[in-house]
Amino acid sequence: MDNFAGPVCVTGASGYIGAWVVKLLLERGATVRATVRKPDDASKVGFLHKLAQGLPGTLELKKADLTDKGSFHEAVAGCEVVFHTASPFVVRQSKDPQRDLIEPAVQGTHNVLDAVDAAPSVRRVVLTSSIAAVYGDTIDVGGKVLNEDGWNTTSTLTNGAYQLSKTLAERAGWERAGAQSRWSLVAINPGFVLGPALDPKASGESVTFMKSMIDGTFAVGMPAATIAVVDVREAALAHLEAALRSDAEGRHILAEAPYQFLQLARFAAAAAGPGFKVPVRNVPKLVLYLVGPIVGGLSWDYISRNVGFTFSLDNSKSRAKLGIAYRPMPQTITDHVKQLIADGVVVARNAA
């Protein structure tokens, strides 16, 4: 299938990935029912209306909330595909992770799939999961190559609540998909997502991370930890391909490659140029135990299970089955950093 015949629904449409999914769909002429919590709040959704201008598709904003049972039915009714991108993303430990992360992620998945089950028109659901559902901490990888067969079995409410929320939500999706045969489920498992945001007011974890790379937050240095990283534009494209390709199935790791934080900082430094305070060294692990929880919000569990460990991954399924061609990470970082500077999110010291 080359395009969408009927309406499609995108949950979490004002989010970092969701907005890019909406944009790509509108460029292809799709009718997009985009769910947001406050469709009348111009400060939250005005950028969606703006990006829809001049594109061949049609944008319809629908009110829905992950924790409101039944709130997705109107948006999903009559759609052929549902892209479920909505889920809370908070890296720092929450005071109540069950309430803030687990319940919205898991109950939200059930609420969306309740609407799917009630809509005979739906043929496929594309679920935004995470590589966090594949593994918990780097130490867990144990020298193996990460692929789609892995499942996170170690994250807990006190160590990796976000990772746990994504794992439980994806497992709930597969359980629901297996209980029926009318619609199929395809999961996208992105690494840490970077790249330019469509919302100039975006303030999520990815924007905060990239901002901290050049504003002096990590001037003392970075933890010697490794993360898998992907461009938001590839992550969004993978969602469309997962919906359009009839033979798409299962899970798909979306990551250009794993990188150490310091490597990403060096890419950011090259993109930002002079006048920005970018980290140039790793912080010794023993020092991190002292300052990490205070300066970077790094728990002792995170430090002990991730700092000093590396891993590799296999992204061949996303390349072969979804046709994803990854742009080099330095380009992703450059585009992201230059956007932050252009939007005034970060200002050079000599320009302040």
Side-chain angles (χ1 to χ4, degrees):
M1 181 181 296
D2 295 327
N3 225 320
F4 299 93
V8 299
C9 176
V10 180
T11 72
S14 60
Y16 188 34
I17 296 176
W20 270 102
V21 172
V22 169
K23 182 177 187 293
L24 295 184
L25 287 166
L26 293 173
E27 287 176 347
R28 297 195 185 199
T31 296
V32 182
R33 295 181 185 167
T35 75
V36 293
R37 283 183 291 180
K38 298 180 179 179
D40 297 323
D41 187 345
S43 67
K44 301 289 186 183
V45 302
F47 81 97
L48 289 173
H49 290 297
K50 186 174 181 180
L51 71 84
Q53 293 175 2
L55 296 179
T58 301
L59 177 66
E60 303 172 4
L61 295 187
K62 301 289 186 180
K63 178 179 173 61
D65 191 283
L66 288 173
T67 56
D68 289 348
K69 189 172 179 63
S71 68
F72 290 94
H73 281 60
E74 179 185 350
V76 171
C79 288
E80 62 166 319
V81 176
V82 174
F83 299 90
H84 180 35
T85 78
S87 190
F89 181 24
V90 181
V91 173
R92 288 176 180 258
Q93 189 66 26
S94 164
K95 292 181 179 179
D96 190 344
Q98 182 68 31
R99 178 199 65 197
D100 298 337
L101 291 167
I102 307 299
E103 290 177 6
V106 177
Q107 192 56 50
T109 298
H110 282 298
N111 287 342
V112 170
L113 295 181
D114 284 347
V116 169
D117 282 341
S121 57
V122 178
R123 61 172 179 83
R124 176 158 293 175
V125 175
V126 180
L127 173 68
T128 311
S129 184
S130 170
I131 202 169
V134 177
Y135 79 107
D137 294 298
T138 311
I139 194 174
D140 301 330
V141 181
K144 299 177 182 177
V145 178
L146 282 180
N147 60 35
E148 286 80 5
D149 294 334
W151 278 96
N152 178 354
T153 60
T154 61
S155 292
T156 65
L157 283 176
T158 56
N159 177 43
Y162 166 72
Q163 291 91 325
L164 178 61
S165 76
K166 298 303 290 185
T167 304
L168 294 176
E170 189 187 339
R171 284 197 179 277
W174 288 116
E175 181 179 346
R176 293 289 296 268
Q180 54 75 58
S181 58
R182 175 173 55 79
W183 52 268
S184 60
L185 178 70
V186 181
I188 304 299
N189 300 77
F192 190 55
V193 183
L194 295 173
L198 290 173
D199 181 1
K201 298 178 181 178
S203 58
E205 295 289 349
S206 297
V207 172
T208 300
F209 174 81
M210 189 53 59
K211 177 177 179 291
S212 70
M213 282 285 191
I214 57 177
D215 70 359
T217 299
F218 291 114
V220 66
M222 301 293 292
T226 300
I227 56 172
V229 193
V230 65
D231 191 293
V232 66
R233 292 162 289 192
E234 269 85 80
L237 179 60
H239 284 71
L240 267 68
E241 294 298 330
L244 290 169
R245 296 182 179 225
S246 60
D247 61 345
E249 53 75 35
R251 314 168 84 200
H252 302 78
I253 287 178
L254 256 289
E256 191 261 338
Y259 289 91
Q260 286 211 358
F261 285 125
L262 192 57
Q263 289 178 284
L264 300 177
R266 287 169 178 159
F267 298 154
F276 295 91
K277 205 167 186 180
V278 180
V280 296
R281 64 181 64 85
N282 283 323
V283 177
K285 194 167 184 175
L286 287 177
V287 175
L288 276 176
Y289 280 116
L290 297 175
V291 303
I294 301 170
V295 177
L298 305 178
S299 69
W300 284 0
D301 280 332
Y302 175 85
I303 295 168
S304 66
R305 297 179 61 82
N306 293 276
V307 174
F309 301 97
T310 60
F311 65 91
S312 57
L313 59 83
D314 179 3
N315 64 11
S316 60
K317 185 176 180 181
S318 65
R319 293 176 181 272
K321 300 299 184 180
L322 301 181
I324 301 302
Y326 293 94
R327 73 194 72 203
M329 190 49 53
Q331 185 61 55
T332 297
I333 301 294
T334 296
D335 292 348
H336 201 162
V337 166
K338 290 191 177 301
Q339 180 201 31
L340 293 177
I341 295 172
D343 289 343
V345 176
V346 188
V347 179
R349 284 172 292 166
N350 56 14

